[in-house]
Amino acid sequence: MGIVSPINNRHPSDILKEVKERYKNATHYCYAYRKATGEEYFTDGGEPTGTAGIPILNALRERDLYDIIGIVIRYFGGIKLGIRGLIDAYHYTMEKTLEKSKITEKIITSDYVVRLSYKDFNAFKSEVLRHFRCEVKEKFEDNVIMEIKVPIFLKDDFEKFLFKRGVEIEKL
C-alpha cells in the first residue's frame, strides 16, 4: 500500500510516525522524500539495500515533485520477491499511488524588495514583466518600493538582471 503526503512545515519523521501508528502490523515502512531545498532522503525500511527507498525516490523524481514524502507499507506474506521483484514492486506501488493522488502545484519563489525613483519605475517594471514570470506589488511613497516574487529557478538570471541595471536589493 502506498501513501503520499505533503511535507509542508512538518518533519517527515512525524508523518512516518503517524503512518506506523495507523498500520501497526506492517513489516516494512519504506519511504523517500524530497524538499524544495534540494534535500532528498530515502530508506529501505529493512528491505535489502537499494530495493525500496531508491525506487520510491525515483518515482518522486520522475514527476519532479518536491516537499512530499512517499511511503510504501508492506505486509510480508511469505513470498520472496527477489531483488528485481522488490525494486519493481516498490516503484510500481509509488507510481500508482501518485497517479491516484491530487498533486497541487506550488511555485517556490525568491523574494526581493527594490526601491526606485518615480521616473525609473515604469520602464523598470515593464522590463521586469517582459523578461520574468513574476509577481509584483508596489508601494508609492517618497520612492516606489517594489516587492518582486521570482520563481526560484529564475533567481540567478533575475539577480544578474538587477546587477546590470544597478538596482540595489534592500532585502531578500
Side-chain angles (χ1 to χ4, degrees):
M1 172 190 333
I3 296 172
V4 291
S5 176
I7 293 174
N8 296 330
N9 295 324
R10 300 178 66 201
H11 195 279
S13 63
D14 294 333
I15 298 167
L16 183 64
K17 182 179 176 183
E18 290 172 9
V19 168
K20 285 181 174 183
E21 287 173 9
R22 189 170 176 195
Y23 302 96
K24 292 179 182 174
N25 296 328
T27 50
H28 299 282
Y29 306 91
C30 307
Y31 68 97
Y33 65 80
R34 298 181 81 202
K35 292 184 177 182
T37 60
E39 179 186 350
E40 294 183 333
Y41 179 82
F42 65 89
T43 181
D44 294 311
E47 296 285 19
T49 302
T51 61
I54 278 287
I56 295 168
L57 180 61
N58 285 338
L60 300 177
R61 286 175 176 164
E62 288 163 8
R63 289 184 174 240
D64 201 25
L65 299 174
Y66 294 92
D67 290 333
I68 188 170
I69 183 170
I71 305 168
V72 176
I73 302 156
R74 180 172 180 226
Y75 295 87
F76 181 68
I79 298 171
K80 295 194 177 201
L81 300 176
I83 299 296
R84 182 81 250 159
L86 286 170
I87 291 168
D88 292 344
Y90 279 102
H91 187 264
Y92 178 82
T93 301
M94 187 50 49
E95 278 183 325
K96 292 302 174 190
T97 302
L98 291 168
E99 282 176 16
K100 293 177 182 178
S101 300
K102 181 182 178 198
I103 306 294
T104 303
E105 184 175 359
K106 183 171 102 175
I107 298 174
I108 299 163
T109 62
S110 285
D111 302 342
Y112 301 88
V113 175
V114 298
R115 187 179 299 268
L116 299 163
S117 68
Y118 277 87
K119 74 177 184 74
D120 294 333
F121 164 68
N122 283 329
F124 179 79
K125 180 179 177 183
S126 176
E127 199 171 352
V128 165
L129 294 175
R130 187 173 359 157
H131 294 291
F132 299 96
R133 192 177 63 192
C134 60
E135 181 184 322
V136 177
K137 292 182 183 175
E138 304 106 6
K139 290 182 190 173
F140 298 95
E141 297 175 355
D142 292 341
N143 290 310
V144 180
I145 300 168
M146 293 180 69
E147 295 177 10
I148 306 169
K149 293 180 179 284
V150 178
I152 195 93
F153 64 89
L154 295 174
K155 179 182 190 283
D156 292 340
D157 292 340
F158 187 71
E159 289 178 3
K160 288 177 191 171
F161 169 86
L162 293 175
F163 181 75
K164 283 182 182 177
R165 282 147 189 84
V167 176
E168 290 186 34
I169 303 167
E170 288 192 10
K171 125 187 141 177
L172 292 176

